[in-house]
Amino acid sequence: MHFDAVVIGAGFAGLYQLLCLRDRLGLKVQVIEAGGDLGGTWYWNRYPGARCDSESHAYRYFFSRELAAEWQASERYPGPAEIRAYLDHVARKFDLRRDIRFNTRVAAAHFDQAAGLWRIQTEAGGRCTAAFLITAVGCLSSANVPAIAGLADFRGKWYHTGQWPHEGVDFRGKRVGQIGTGSTGIQAAPVIAQSAAHLTVFQRTANYSVPARNAPLAPEFKRWAREHFEQIREIVQSTLNGHAFRIEQRNVADVTPAERQAIYEAAWEKGGLQFRATFKDLLTDRAANATAAEFLKARIRAVVKDPATAEALADIDHPYAAKRPPIDTDYFETFNRPNVTLVNLRQDPIECITAQGIRTKSSRHPLDIIVFATGFDALTGPLLKMDIRGRGGRSLREDWKGGPSTYLGLQVPGYPNLFTITGPGSPSVLTNMPVAIEQHVEWITECIGHLRKTGMATVEASDTAATAWGAQVDEAARATLLWDAKHSWYFGANVAGKPQVFMPYAGGLNKYRKICQGIAARGYEGFVLARA
Ligand code: N01
């Protein structure tokens, strides 16, 4: 079967890409999705406490006013079921399901240079061809289960949060061990603790967290969000990170210590990622950042009653928000429960997993269930899981051995007509994802439309453009404190053997949007367009 375009993935990115290519350009499109239904990240991440960290009035599509008027989430932060219901609504409204093949995983995609098309093969052996191949595979979809010796011997059950069983897990009466205290672990622990007999949290790196203050949305807020759709869209499309709030233009040094304290307290009360937006220089100036860090550490010490536990939780080794900042519902309060224990792996590292549980250097922790909240092989992982080959059979796995090289995170030199939505080198994970996704999908659609209009068959990033873009990605990260947290997954540090390269573009989605627009306006500068 031949298609004009094959899109891999049916989350926010894949659905909108299908709609744009099929209904706006009139192409014949097939979406191939590994999961049994729509949702992408929200299909797989059903762990206890899972919830979006972006506020619901910003975590959605903005391309259609009509769609926005039809659907409103019920809470400040939507959970997986509500997000899936939203995507289902979108799919019904635009009749998208008929072009999606579920339960089908792409194993390989090879560019056939002679025929000028992509040959795609699924794990089940299915084959098709396409002029354009677009990956909409998500940035955080390749689960990272660390290779801890002895896991195969464990007699209990274990789960990774990103591959959570759809029927749920019953923790009642069980001794549960949770490894990982990133955004996911911080969401999961309070909920697991409510039903488990005992929860032991294994913490390698202590983390900041700000209360999410989730709540049902008041009817007045819903009305306001409906009536202010255009204004909200204007904000998400013009800010650094695609969220529906602006970053304050003051620096920490512009206010007195008392004013600063009041600002942090108000932001703490309000809750959510907006805490990061209280001052312009929080992510660029170490001294400024230290004031936020101290405020947040003081909160941990104030909440957690056991002094040793409080100290381990507040012993944070990186600037605030240099790693992705979590938001929570009663995370630190959870450590005041009698059925919850913290193990500080910095002092007492895991030695192995045994048949009975986890053995650390100084103790044994008998467990019935282990929850791996250990994150993902981010950004490159989902792409490199597939055997992608470009011109002359060159392989993406080989080409990216030393780290990803892309032009704008959208294309890879040597791989004509392959587009990577929110790929490495684009703002992606540093933003409110649906907004970054819309920008990419619309840019790709315009690019393909341009090729069709001008009779061109292929578009391919040049080596020079990709090298220059890589330098810009590096420079943008170095200008921020994100560069200080070398152990973050932004650098790939969480996966053994992964090259240490800062992967997302940290220059801001607003700036990135203008760069992409300029490049297109200058005749796709840095791309080579060719006839068949
Ligand atoms: O993963 P993480 P996550 N032994 O990599 C620890 C998004 N997200 O799933 O920091 C012991 O952040 C690891 O320790 P360390 C969001 O972008 C979004 O929590 O590497 N510990 C860390 O504590 C987020 O950033 C939402 O030292 C080990 C944890 O596991 C991203 O997903 C909600 C270990 C992993 O933290 C990933 O978050 C949730 C080992 N061998 C997540 N290996 C939204 O709301 C790893 N760890 C949209």
Side-chain angles (χ1 to χ4, degrees):
M1 188 85 150
H2 179 74
F3 299 96
D4 294 321
V6 161
V7 178
I8 309 174
F12 270 89
L15 290 184
Y16 187 39
Q17 189 67 78
L18 166 60
L19 189 156
C20 286
L21 293 180
R22 190 191 69 184
D23 298 353
R24 294 188 195 158
L25 295 190
L27 304 192
K28 186 174 169 197
V29 185
Q30 172 80 79
V31 176
I32 303 178
E33 164 59 56
D37 204 355
L38 308 170
T41 204
W42 304 105
Y43 176 82
W44 303 102
N45 282 269
R46 304 185 190 211
Y47 59 86
R51 202 165 272 289
C52 183
D53 285 351
S54 296
E55 289 171 274
S56 52
H57 65 293
Y59 197 80
R60 58 175 174 167
Y61 294 116
F62 282 90
F63 67 84
S64 161
R65 199 196 195 299
E66 190 184 291
L67 173 65
E70 283 168 6
W71 183 276
Q72 277 196 303
S74 60
E75 294 176 87
R76 182 174 177 187
Y77 305 98
E82 193 163 44
I83 298 172
R84 289 197 307 274
Y86 169 65
L87 293 177
D88 181 58
H89 174 76
V90 174
R92 281 170 200 276
K93 180 175 172 66
F94 299 102
D95 192 16
L96 298 177
R97 282 180 184 275
R98 68 183 155 95
D99 291 309
I100 306 173
R101 191 137 34 103
F102 293 108
N103 297 307
T104 308
R105 191 177 279 280
V106 171
H110 296 178
F111 185 68
D112 180 334
Q113 209 163 322
L117 47 75
W118 282 91
R119 297 193 180 280
I120 296 132
Q121 190 175 337
T122 69
E123 275 186 357
R127 288 167 199 272
C128 63
T129 55
F132 297 97
L133 176 65
I134 299 153
T135 61
V137 290
C139 301
L140 299 161
S141 54
S142 182
N144 171 43
V145 179
I148 302 175
L151 179 57
D153 303 329
F154 182 55
R155 288 214 201 101
K157 294 233 157 69
W158 67 267
Y159 308 92
H160 186 280
T161 48
Q163 296 171 334
W164 203 255
H166 291 189
E167 64 280 12
V169 175
D170 187 358
F171 293 107
R172 282 174 302 176
K174 300 285 196 287
R175 298 160 303 176
V176 183
Q178 176 187 303
I179 304 179
T181 53
S183 299
T184 300
I186 281 177
Q187 287 183 337
V191 184
I192 295 173
Q194 282 166 21
S195 61
H198 192 89
L199 171 67
T200 308
V201 177
F202 295 86
Q203 171 191 279
R204 187 164 70 181
T205 305
N207 221 334
Y208 302 94
S209 187
V210 171
R213 309 239 185 259
N214 186 42
L217 290 177
E220 308 81 68
F221 181 85
K222 288 187 183 172
R223 193 168 49 247
W224 174 86
R226 236 186 347 260
E227 288 168 2
H228 292 80
F229 172 75
E230 274 80 17
Q231 288 92 324
I232 296 168
R233 184 174 59 193
E234 201 279 311
I235 296 175
V236 299
Q237 293 184 347
S238 61
T239 55
L240 213 63
N241 50 28
H243 285 285
F245 51 82
R246 293 198 193 277
I247 295 166
E248 296 288 346
Q249 285 310 296
R250 63 191 168 214
N251 286 328
V252 166
D254 296 341
V255 301
T256 66
E259 285 166 342
R260 188 178 72 216
Q261 183 71 9
I263 288 166
Y264 285 148
E265 272 168 15
W268 174 268
E269 284 312 318
K270 194 164 189 195
L273 292 173
Q274 295 190 34
F275 193 90
R276 213 172 22 170
T278 44
F279 293 100
K280 189 173 77 172
D281 54 349
L282 279 190
L283 262 179
T284 51
D285 183 287
R286 285 193 188 91
N289 188 288
T291 64
E294 276 321 308
F295 176 89
L296 294 171
K297 289 177 186 178
R299 289 288 162 150
I300 298 171
R301 294 188 187 104
V303 168
V304 180
K305 296 197 176 114
D306 174 60
T309 305
E311 225 21 70
L313 288 165
D315 186 16
I316 307 175
D317 65 358
H318 52 277
Y320 167 63
K323 293 179 93 168
R324 162 59 153 77
I327 61 175
D328 71 276
T329 301
D330 295 336
Y331 176 64
F332 296 113
E333 289 79 354
T334 294
F335 292 93
N336 293 333
R337 294 177 67 109
N339 69 333
V340 176
T341 313
L342 182 75
V343 175
N344 182 354
L345 299 180
R346 290 276 166 97
Q347 287 170 359
D348 190 13
I350 293 177
E351 286 202 325
C352 62
I353 296 176
T354 65
Q356 284 78 32
I358 292 179
R359 193 163 79 208
T360 56
K361 197 166 170 217
S362 69
S363 17
R364 285 163 194 270
H365 304 272
L367 299 168
D368 304 304
I369 295 175
I370 300 176
V371 173
F372 287 94
T374 43
F376 302 89
D377 181 354
L379 289 135
T380 52
L383 293 167
L384 297 181
K385 257 189 181 173
M386 300 177 284
D387 175 26
I388 298 181
R389 289 174 190 263
R391 277 185 196 286
R394 65 194 283 176
S395 124
L396 196 63
R397 286 182 192 143
E398 273 303 310
D399 282 343
W400 285 7
K401 247 188 176 159
S405 168
T406 72
Y407 185 30
L408 303 170
L410 273 164
Q411 271 219 330
V412 188
Y415 298 77
N417 288 2
L418 168 68
F419 292 97
T420 51
I421 302 177
T422 62
S426 75
S428 65
V429 292
L430 300 178
T431 72
N432 174 33
M433 289 295 289
V435 179
I437 284 169
E438 273 194 348
Q439 185 267 338
H440 259 196
V441 167
E442 286 165 7
W443 193 93
I444 292 167
T445 306
E446 273 172 34
C447 179
I448 294 177
H450 175 79
L451 293 178
R452 295 256 145 166
K453 238 185 283 159
T454 53
M456 295 291 173
T458 56
V459 54
E460 180 181 347
S462 75
D463 271 317
T464 328
T467 306
W469 181 248
Q472 281 198 56
V473 172
D474 211 61
E475 191 188 322
R478 282 175 194 270
T480 72
L481 299 179
L482 298 172
W483 197 258
D484 284 16
K486 291 288 187 309
H487 54 324
S488 82
W489 58 259
Y490 298 149
F491 280 97
N494 61 327
V495 176
K498 190 166 172 169
Q500 306 293 288
V501 175
F502 192 91
M503 293 180 285
Y505 174 68
L509 182 56
N510 45 1
K511 183 172 170 191
Y512 175 83
R513 185 186 295 277
K514 285 198 185 116
I515 293 173
C516 291
Q517 279 166 350
I519 284 169
R522 291 189 295 278
Y524 293 92
E525 187 179 66
F527 292 94
V528 179
L529 277 54
R531 293 185 194 280

